[in-house]
Amino acid sequence: MTKDEMIDCLIQQISGMQNYAQVESVILNISRLATVHGLPVSQCFSKLEVTIEELSPMNLTSTQWSCFRYALICLREKASLLRKYRRH
């Protein structure tokens, strides 16, 4: 699986979610998924973040938009923890 394929899959998963717990579960699983496929975790986070930021709310339901916004929050928190962990 390539990074782009993984990001497409994650976008599809998040678009079908109904609550924040589901979104958080997917975001927490990115590190494991990237490692399994030999992909750099930080690049996967960055690519997913950019992809979500480029989504238009006009093409999404309010639930989808809310889930994507929450995914961004989770991604940024997790990326921050990764950076902190790498420094120590």
Side-chain angles (χ1 to χ4, degrees):
M1 176 179 282
T2 67
K3 182 174 47 176
D4 289 336
E5 290 171 337
M6 187 177 99
I7 298 306
D8 288 344
C9 180
L10 291 168
I11 292 292
Q12 288 294 344
Q13 286 179 19
I14 296 169
S15 70
M17 302 204 161
Q18 299 299 313
N19 60 58
Y20 292 160
Q22 293 172 329
V23 173
E24 195 166 348
S25 175
V26 167
I27 300 303
L28 292 174
N29 197 36
I30 290 173
S31 297
R32 185 193 65 75
L33 187 61
T35 302
V36 166
H37 293 287
L39 301 170
V41 176
S42 60
Q43 288 181 16
C44 291
F45 282 171
S46 297
K47 175 76 174 171
L48 182 57
E49 186 176 344
V50 168
T51 302
I52 291 172
E53 287 174 344
E54 292 175 346
L55 294 174
S56 169
M58 301 302 285
N59 299 326
L60 303 169
T61 67
S62 60
T63 300
Q64 288 171 325
W65 181 247
S66 179
C67 284
F68 281 120
R69 296 287 98 189
Y70 186 71
L72 281 177
I73 292 167
C74 292
L75 279 168
R76 290 173 181 154
E77 286 177 1
K78 186 122 169 127
S80 175
L81 288 173
L82 277 176
R83 285 190 299 273
K84 183 186 262 186
Y85 177 73
R86 286 187 181 159
R87 284 187 222 144
H88 296 289

